Amino acid sequence: MPKRPHPHAPHSRDLDARVTHFVSPVTRMLLASEGLTTPLLQAASDGPLRARVWSLREVAAGLLDPGARERLRLSGQERCLVRRTRLVLACGTTVSDNVVVARMGVDPRVDEVAGDPGQPLGFGLADAGVVLRRRVHWVGRRRWFGGGPCVCKAYTLDAVDGPLVHVEELFSPQVVPADVRVTHSPQGQST
């Protein structure tokens, strides 16, 4: 069983500048948070969220996105569970689109929770008594369904011995505004 990480262990110290580029305080809070995302999304969307798992498959690490493979420190032969999930409101509106990559065979509780399509990952891990440290690796913007910009975040969930889960989340711009501050260079050009 993984040891419990120290609650005051250093986290992602270099994200502040990237987070402050976003105009919305809701967006900045969500991106800077190292806790559960789902309760913040429920508060921002004014409703309970359900996990809708639309893809769940076991793959060799060599077939993963290079960023996820590197952050999880995987060799090409290790097996991982890849879970594609949308968190949706009761009306069916998608609030977030998530790709979860979990290392298999390290902690059976993580294997079970990642393979359970019935609930959001964070709630499942908490219910199973799994304590992992969230380490944010990247925040920024991508394209939401329909083409407009959306906010996204990539992080790992780490045990004392290393990362077990890689998560990449895209957030609906209707719930998490993607507007960024425009700055001007000394030559008067927008950046």
Side-chain angles (χ1 to χ4, degrees):
M1 183 161 104
K3 294 179 185 176
R4 179 174 236 171
H6 188 278
H8 301 294
H11 293 282
S12 306
R13 296 178 184 183
D14 62 341
L15 290 177
D16 291 348
R18 288 178 277 180
V19 169
T20 60
H21 286 294
F22 289 93
V23 174
S24 167
V26 169
T27 302
R28 293 192 307 268
M29 182 175 60
L30 185 75
L31 293 177
S33 171
E34 292 174 348
L36 286 175
T37 304
T38 304
L40 294 172
L41 287 173
Q42 287 181 148
S45 63
D46 199 28
L49 297 172
R50 293 178 293 148
R52 187 172 288 162
V53 177
W54 57 276
S55 176
L56 188 61
R57 59 193 172 97
E58 187 178 322
V59 301
L63 300 175
L64 295 173
D65 168 77
R69 189 172 56 240
E70 180 182 318
R71 291 176 189 135
L72 285 172
R73 302 179 199 148
L74 297 169
S75 70
Q77 301 306 313
E78 291 179 76
R79 303 299 292 174
C80 296
L81 190 63
V82 178
R83 169 180 160 149
R84 298 285 318 249
T85 308
R86 290 192 176 139
L87 294 179
V88 297
L89 293 166
C91 64
T93 300
T94 299
V95 173
S96 73
D97 184 62
N98 311 317
V99 178
V100 174
V101 178
R103 297 177 75 168
M104 296 182 70
V106 178
D107 185 328
R109 300 170 303 166
V110 173
D111 293 350
E112 184 177 337
V113 169
D116 177 5
Q119 63 181 329
L121 181 73
F123 288 165
L125 291 171
D127 289 348
V130 179
V131 178
L132 300 172
R133 181 180 66 125
R134 181 176 305 235
R135 186 164 37 116
V136 178
H137 292 277
W138 183 84
V139 299
R141 297 195 318 167
R142 296 237 171 105
R143 293 277 165 215
W144 187 249
F145 314 107
C150 73
V151 174
C152 56
K153 177 178 184 176
Y155 56 91
T156 54
L157 300 174
D158 301 351
V160 171
D161 298 334
L164 296 181
V165 180
H166 181 271
V167 180
E168 186 172 306
E169 296 179 306
L170 279 73
F171 304 107
S172 167
Q174 294 177 321
V175 177
V176 181
D179 300 328
V180 293
R181 299 179 198 285
V182 176
T183 58
H184 295 281
S185 67
Q187 293 79 23
Q189 298 175 339
S190 295
T191 59

